[in-house]
Amino acid sequence: MGGGIAAYKSCELLRRFQASGHDVTVIPTKSSLEFIGSSTWEALSGKPVTTEVFDSVHEVPHVKLGQEADLFVIAPATANLIAKLAHGLADDLLTNSVLMAQCPILVVPAMHTEMWLNPATQANVQTLRDRGIRVVDPDVGRLTGPDSGPGRLPEPQAIEIAAQVLVDGYLPDLDLHGKRVLVTGGGTRESIDPVRDIGNRSSGKQAWAIASAASVYGAKTTVIAANVELPSPVGSTVINVKSALEMADAVDEQLGEADVLVMCAAVADFRPKAPADVKIKKTSDDFVPAPIELERNPDILAAVGARPEADRPLLVGFAAETVTDEAQLIEYGLGKLTKKGADFLVANPVGKDQTFGEDSNSGLVLGPEGIVDRVEKTSKAGLANALFAACREKLSS
Ligand code: C5P
């Protein structure tokens, strides 16, 4: 990690990587130790930590680290560190190891807005991206001191998901620069009264993984999120909505710009016809509530799918199904794909401990002709990669 105040967030990132079973080596720059000292890193990682190439020379550490790593995550990456990486400078253990790296590299910048927007930094970022290094845009928000703007380090959970994209089914040649990806996620809530809703258990994790993947591959990404309690996915703009009607409006507003719409949200098919303006109360001990009359919500995916192909983005739907076997999953999935006019549809089995709220997923990526990909249990980032692998040809045409 580089020497930015956001280095403190990398302690949690390290913990998160460890918790998911990864072997993590910390390579700080000298200036990052001004913020988080080497004792912290040694205690947390359980390994010696150094900034120097000339420690343990007999082990040639930069060569070993560079050759053995499955992934380099540089977070936070300062303007200075990005400049050094762009120019191939190697004057400490981190920059030497990165030059040796044979694995994917994720760079997560964090700095003041002016430094991020400086043409020198932007040119260096472009150089790294042109070389296949994945540089995500920083978050927009509170910076050191009272300022706010682009330059904030994404939250550790968001960086972790982005890192998974570079590990589980990573697509090294995919480049989505210049593309706009619109993703919906979470579960809509339909008001019964001012304090009660009808909802579902969708966590938004799959949508977050898709948005993270889109951003890692360079797309401009917008997520329309229904009741998701996760930190913003890297490089993405998040629009929060509550109900299906609000989501339909937000999709309508954003659609014109999009090259792909991934409808990952669990949208309620029905809503209470006449939600109460005031809280429904038990007025007596033998109070019997009136039945809640429901009416249909619009089908957002089907409405977009009904447009002429030239007048809509590439369209990906999701179908969560409780099924007894794969044949049934294909039957239900293809039925939905055709009915809703989607180009692709991810059909996943749901049920007890499957999919909703979990960190893993599995399923079938279906196209009009049938199975495009059979995705065995993987992280939600792994499934996001399978989805973009299926879309890539149509996206580049
Ligand atoms: O019909 P079902 O709800 O199983 O279809 C799932 C797919 O349709 C998902 O992609 C979901 O986001 C989308 N959908 C929608 N509007 C609805 C219901 C579902 O866009 N009202």
Side-chain angles (χ1 to χ4, degrees), residues 184 244 247 262-270 296-303 316-321 336 339-340 345:
T184 66
M247 179 168 277
V262 184
M263 279 296 306
C264 193
V267 185
D269 288 321
F270 309 99
R296 283 292 297 267
N297 269 329
D299 190 313
I300 304 168
L301 178 60
V316 183
F318 269 73
E321 305 285 358
K336 250 172 214 177
K339 198 168 131 217
K340 302 200 183 210
L345 187 127

Side-chain angles (χ1 to χ4, degrees), residues 1-17 26 28-29 31-38 40-41 44 74-78 108-111 139 141-145 147 151-157 159 231:
M1 88 226 35
I5 178 66
Y8 76 90
K9 288 190 187 169
S10 301
C11 299
E12 191 195 329
L13 183 62
L14 165 62
R15 283 297 213 200
R16 286 186 159 271
F17 284 144
V26 179
T29 61
S31 55
S32 80
L33 297 180
E34 298 280 337
F35 296 99
I36 307 290
S38 52
T40 302
W41 294 123
L44 289 179
I74 305 173
T78 57
V108 192
M111 65 197 75
D139 274 7
R142 175 98 196 266
L143 304 168
T144 331
D147 297 13
R152 194 179 151 82
L153 189 76
E155 295 306 309
Q157 195 176 355
I159 300 174

